Amino acid sequence: MQSPRPAGAPESATLLISCPDQPGLVAAVTSFIASHDGNILHLDQHVDQQENVFFMRVEWDLTRFKLSPADIAPAFKAIADKYAMQWQLHFSSDVPRMAIFVSREAHCLYDLLSRYTAGEWRVEIPLIISNHPHLEPVAQQFGIPYHVFPITRETKAAQEQAQLELLKACGIDLIVLARYMQILSPEFVAEYPNRIINIHHSFLPAFPGAKPYHMAFSRGVKIIGATSHYVTADLDAGPIIEQDTVRINHKDSVDDLIRKGKDVEKLVLSRAVRYHLQHQVLVYDNKTVIFA
Amino acid sequence: MQSPRPAGAPESATLLISCPDQPGLVAAVTSFIASHDGNILHLDQHVDQQENVFFMRVEWDLTRFKLSPADIAPAFKAIADKYAMQWQLHFSSDVPRMAIFVSREAHCLYDLLSRYTAGEWRVEIPLIISNHPHLEPVAQQFGIPYHVFPITRETKAAQEQAQLELLKACGIDLIVLARYMQILSPEFVAEYPNRIINIHHSFLPAFPGAKPYHMAFSRGVKIIGATSHYVTADLDAGPIIEQDTVRINHKDSVDDLIRKGKDVEKLVLSRAVRYHLQHQVLVYDNKTVIFA
Amino acid sequence: MQSPRPAGAPESATLLISCPDQPGLVAAVTSFIASHDGNILHLDQHVDQQENVFFMRVEWDLTRFKLSPADIAPAFKAIADKYAMQWQLHFSSDVPRMAIFVSREAHCLYDLLSRYTAGEWRVEIPLIISNHPHLEPVAQQFGIPYHVFPITRETKAAQEQAQLELLKACGIDLIVLARYMQILSPEFVAEYPNRIINIHHSFLPAFPGAKPYHMAFSRGVKIIGATSHYVTADLDAGPIIEQDTVRINHKDSVDDLIRKGKDVEKLVLSRAVRYHLQHQVLVYDNKTVIFA
Amino acid sequence: MQSPRPAGAPESATLLISCPDQPGLVAAVTSFIASHDGNILHLDQHVDQQENVFFMRVEWDLTRFKLSPADIAPAFKAIADKYAMQWQLHFSSDVPRMAIFVSREAHCLYDLLSRYTAGEWRVEIPLIISNHPHLEPVAQQFGIPYHVFPITRETKAAQEQAQLELLKACGIDLIVLARYMQILSPEFVAEYPNRIINIHHSFLPAFPGAKPYHMAFSRGVKIIGATSHYVTADLDAGPIIEQDTVRINHKDSVDDLIRKGKDVEKLVLSRAVRYHLQHQVLVYDNKTVIFA
């Protein structure tokens, strides 16, 4: 199912840019857009004063824009080269394709699929991948193909290879780990740099790794949280996209922490997915700039 | 006491602009800055799609800027006129002068003066005005002149006139009502449009007027709040600058609500004052755009 | 589907009590429980000092309790009468039956059914009622009977009567209005006093009635919220069970408010339902005591 | 200055109890109170099901209580011994004496002294101790003696000894480290077990030790926090009393994190101090039960 654009929203183009800071950058980009009669819908920029790096996101209306989508990148290249920009160009008419990975916990999967079915995002979800058959009934409820890849130490490399082939065949742009309890190999991660979003059930960098709710209970913290981040080769150490927290108290057992934490996980993961789908995320120096 | 700029922060100029939306606005403003070798420190813009109004805040480094401060406004006027812009130009080197109005509650006054004394803001506070002598010892603790203007129905007009004369004599740019329990007359308000900041001890528009904590207790709400807004002729109905909330429960008496509310009032008022002092607020249609 | 008790949780009894405050109340109730070898799992009490009313919730383990469930109420009656207590006795082994009412918005329905299917609550949901056929596919996804009662001004009384008959036939204990956009008649409400939970999409008492997100946008608030309350004959004025808020800013359109608000509505409604199902709510003077 | 009791609040006694869980504990304690005509103002209990430990706080009105304060402990001892209780008995008429330790940061000191001067707490603050002369003017503003103990590696032991003598001479019950940048020796800590409250400027266990805001900036977290805890011999590892968080984003420099964090530190520390002064904290197994 393809989620519709909000009623009346025009088709748009979005540029994400980073480069060494210097005078004239915003003027150069916005003059380019204005010179072809583009009207800016959103513009946000940021300068990391410490590192002297410039970041920018600009989205403009294509309705009266004089350049065709295919001509924009070639025309912009001259500016990009002049300022040594790293840049991405996205079109709202391109609908991203997203795969969901799950294990046994259903809450994030339900949340993602409910938003998808309700048309909250402009995305296609052509498949769900799991290392367990456990959640297949949920996939069936929502009519989405569910692929099981059981994983053992011996089969891991081969199974990841099979997963990658399936993902490529389905034209997947984004992978969402919705409480997928397997660690992806560095080789797998390298195939989707900054395109694999994980939800970790703690307020990182507190309680990385396994059983964070048990650790939080044991330490006696008064607030727990969840963290959504891009997956890198370092476990739970990738660029953080979004975090949130919820208050707990001494009456809460580990089961209560798990229950309260699930609601935070759902919110945090769905916000991170939305930021990514809207091209609002720029990764730099293992951190994220979120243009929201 | 003049609060220092953060170490190493360059002197800067800030433009706040609003005008009918059309293509080329950002390009026009940023090209103006770039053409005189200005480097942009912060740029934020917003388009109200419903009303077709464009808003922008841009702050740039004056260190290598080719125009002297006095020449900027005349030079920018051509652009502003072309696009029918309403605009303000501010310089970080101009230190605003702020008056605080209080009645009997000390918590916001302590909070403002502690921040002032600690150098958190670049501002001068040359006087405190009150309708009661009650808080004079606090003013003395911080070494700030304290002026008492007792107010009755009969004396109100004359006392407000006397207050205005004192404020003008002190060159006051901004008035902060830190739980000042008198309603300012429309005539007084008209002298400082969008330059009088009030803190109301409820989450507006819930519980306007007197005794909001008592009303919140009586209604049985589970969260209370505070609201900072510019004062207009309509009581508690001016443009909202900042709000925040805190959770309460059935165990909390009215006294507990007052106690918990005070902490929210302090935070909300201090954030609103900061936004104003940093020229991050644009008022439009009885609402605020906060470029933070 | 009946949701299981958490592994290892013993079957328990819960007393909810309110009465005029006086010395000896806690001693009387807890001595009753101790005298029959009951071990207290949770005890919470509250005294409204202003009204001089005592409230108490006590839950105890039935495993070694000497009285059979059927004998508890008769035995406790002597104490209750002595102190003029209003009281309810609940057993964890009694699984409540809950009906969901919806109109066109799917998000709360998805959220409730996902929690139900995942076994988060000990409850039965034997039916969904709507004034529209719109959400029948969601009901089918989760395998729950969906009954459509179209309502016009002329048919309202008859349709409500038909709904009531269906609810009685299904043994419904609790009705949850999950964005049901019809106002229930006082006659309907009187059939389920303090047993109809509504979610209103504003931070009450701000923005009661229709289109609260539009009103919030128009007023320019910086935070929006949602409120879950028991339905009374007065629209949006019943006892508040739970509220929560989320921060917005000038960039958010009405559509953004609706989107962000949905996430708060889901959380607030699900927490209120949980409190009710766990017998943690006492209603008094149009307010709630939440023993959580 | 002694802060007054809230108008009309009766003098009360508070028992804090922990012991192995078993049936009859609440009945035993509340029957003791009722048998002497005590009326309970607040009662809260908690059972750690995992460890089988019972915790209770009960506060009762002494107005009509038949036992004199001096007779309560001897009378209660029989019950306490029977159930192997650890217990503390506090009277609202006993005003605790609190010392504040500071270094160079003024914000927490201003916050504590403002609350003290405004009568928010029933406490005496007879002295402030620092390793620097820097904040003496703040102490003078509030009229509180300020003692400087410069500390080097060589003088540390002797200076701590001198501090302890001063604290004993002043009858100090509670020490509050309001951003005191010296690590107390285990010997010092042992003199005030669970009576030294520290504020750490991170969301523990994330970022313990020095420069937590710099570490938070470097890691790219989206939320920062503060933690108040009892000081133990292990650095930043004592029982957590209170935590809170605040959202940040990529625009925030380290200086912004420090500024936003200060507001959280003030709130968290003041809440922790209040819990302690109200005898609402029970420490168990390096965690706290907060009866609030």
Side-chain angles (χ1 to χ4, degrees), chain D:
Chain D
M1 180 190 315
Q2 179 179 329
S3 313
R5 292 280 286 178
E11 293 297 340
S12 64
T14 298
L15 267 171
L16 281 171
I17 297 166
S18 63
C19 64
D21 191 36
Q22 62 173 284
L25 291 167
V26 179
V29 176
T30 58
S31 296
F32 167 79
I33 295 169
S35 70
H36 300 286
D37 290 359
N39 196 23
I40 292 172
L41 298 169
H42 300 286
L43 182 151
D44 206 349
Q45 59 89 249
H46 169 63
V47 178
D48 184 325
Q49 307 280 358
Q50 217 171 311
E51 307 278 342
N52 202 46
V53 182
F54 170 87
F55 304 93
M56 183 173 178
R57 180 188 188 274
V58 59
E59 180 179 357
W60 69 98
D61 187 344
L62 289 178
T63 313
R64 289 188 189 76
F65 199 58
K66 292 284 166 55
L67 292 177
S68 74
D71 292 335
I72 296 177
F76 184 70
K77 192 170 180 303
I79 295 167
D81 289 349
K82 177 175 174 192
Y83 294 102
M85 292 174 174
Q86 296 196 292
W87 57 291
Q88 311 165 29
L89 176 64
H90 301 282
F91 296 101
S92 62
S93 55
D94 291 342
V95 179
R97 295 171 68 79
M98 171 172 132
I100 303 177
F101 279 49
V102 294
S103 289
R104 293 169 172 276
E105 295 278 1
H107 57 286
C108 284
L109 180 61
Y110 267 123
D111 188 73
L112 293 169
L113 296 182
S114 301
R115 292 173 193 274
Y116 174 56
T117 305
E120 199 172 308
W121 299 324
R122 201 180 213 188
V123 70
E124 298 273 359
I125 303 181
L127 82 163
I128 297 167
I129 284 178
S130 181
N131 55 334
H132 287 289
H134 194 63
L135 296 179
E136 181 148 26
V138 181
Q140 285 172 344
Q141 272 186 281
F142 289 84
I144 299 177
Y146 186 88
H147 302 262
V148 181
F149 292 84
I151 293 192
T152 63
R153 194 175 300 178
E154 290 71 31
T155 64
K156 180 162 185 167
Q159 291 291 62
E160 282 197 342
Q161 198 51 44
Q163 290 173 345
L164 282 170
E165 279 162 28
L166 179 59
L167 294 169
K168 302 286 178 191
C170 291
I172 293 302
D173 302 297
L174 172 67
I175 296 169
V176 174
L177 308 185
R179 300 295 308 274
Y180 182 62
M181 297 286 97
Q182 283 286 327
I183 297 172
L184 299 176
S185 71
E187 294 72 30
F188 189 107
V189 172
E191 294 289 321
Y192 288 90
N194 296 333
R195 293 197 289 146
I196 306 173
I197 297 178
N198 185 41
I199 180 71
H200 182 74
H201 41 313
S202 85
F203 185 81
L204 289 173
F207 311 127
K211 294 205 172 284
Y213 292 128
H214 290 77
M215 289 195 287
F217 179 82
S218 171
R219 178 62 186 92
V221 295
K222 300 302 186 186
I223 289 177
I224 57 172
T227 303
S228 196
H229 62 93
Y230 287 118
V231 175
T232 60
D234 291 332
L235 182 65
D236 297 334
I240 293 172
I241 307 169
E242 172 67 348
Q243 301 187 289
D244 213 337
T245 57
V246 65
R247 191 165 279 274
I248 58 167
N249 64 44
H250 63 270
K251 293 183 201 170
D252 290 309
S253 65
V254 171
D255 283 345
D256 293 320
L257 266 56
I258 290 171
R259 174 176 53 81
K260 292 185 173 183
K262 281 179 178 177
D263 283 344
V264 184
E265 293 168 36
K266 289 187 288 187
L267 279 177
V268 167
L269 179 58
S270 70
R271 288 187 203 135
V273 168
R274 180 181 173 85
Y275 290 146
H276 184 97
L277 292 176
Q278 309 250 87
H279 311 298
Q280 294 177 305
V281 189
L282 254 178
V283 174
Y284 173 74
D285 198 17
N286 207 42
K287 307 204 287 190
T288 62
V289 172
I290 306 287
F291 290 121

Side-chain angles (χ1 to χ4, degrees), chain B residues 96-258:
Chain B
R97 293 171 69 80
M98 172 172 132
I100 303 177
F101 280 48
V102 294
S103 289
R104 290 170 175 278
E105 296 278 1
H107 57 286
C108 285
L109 180 61
Y110 267 123
D111 188 72
L112 294 170
L113 295 182
S114 301
R115 292 173 193 276
Y116 173 56
T117 305
E120 198 172 308
W121 299 324
R122 200 181 212 188
V123 70
E124 297 274 359
I125 303 181
L127 83 164
I128 297 166
I129 284 178
S130 181
N131 55 335
H132 287 290
H134 194 63
L135 296 180
E136 181 149 24
V138 182
Q140 285 171 344
Q141 272 185 280
F142 289 85
I144 298 178
Y146 185 87
H147 302 264
V148 181
F149 292 83
I151 293 192
T152 64
R153 194 174 303 177
E154 290 71 30
T155 63
K156 180 162 185 168
Q159 290 291 62
E160 281 197 344
Q161 197 53 44
Q163 288 173 346
L164 282 171
E165 279 163 27
L166 180 59
L167 295 168
K168 303 286 180 192
C170 291
I172 293 301
D173 302 297
L174 171 67
I175 296 169
V176 174
L177 308 184
R179 299 296 307 274
Y180 181 61
M181 297 286 99
Q182 284 286 325
I183 297 173
L184 300 176
S185 71
E187 293 73 29
F188 189 107
V189 173
E191 295 288 321
Y192 287 91
N194 296 333
R195 294 195 290 148
I196 306 173
I197 296 178
N198 185 42
I199 180 71
H200 182 73
H201 40 313
S202 85
F203 185 81
L204 290 174
F207 311 128
K211 293 205 171 284
Y213 291 128
H214 290 77
M215 290 196 286
F217 179 81
S218 171
R219 177 61 187 94
V221 294
K222 299 301 185 187
I223 289 176
I224 57 172
T227 304
S228 196
H229 62 92
Y230 287 118
V231 175
T232 60
D234 291 333
L235 183 65
D236 297 335
I240 293 171
I241 306 169
E242 173 66 349
Q243 302 187 289
D244 213 338
T245 57
V246 66
R247 189 164 282 271
I248 58 168
N249 64 43
H250 63 269
K251 293 183 200 168
D252 289 310
S253 65
V254 171
D255 283 345
D256 292 320
L257 267 56
I258 290 170

Side-chain angles (χ1 to χ4, degrees), chain C residues 183-231:
Chain C
I183 297 172
L184 300 177
S185 71
E187 294 73 29
F188 188 106
V189 172
E191 295 289 321
Y192 287 90
N194 296 333
R195 293 196 289 146
I196 306 174
I197 295 177
N198 185 41
I199 180 72
H200 181 73
H201 41 313
S202 85
F203 186 79
L204 290 173
F207 312 127
K211 293 204 172 286
Y213 290 128
H214 291 76
M215 290 195 286
F217 179 81
S218 170
R219 179 62 186 91
V221 294
K222 299 301 185 187
I223 289 177
I224 57 172
T227 304
S228 196
H229 62 92
Y230 286 117
V231 175

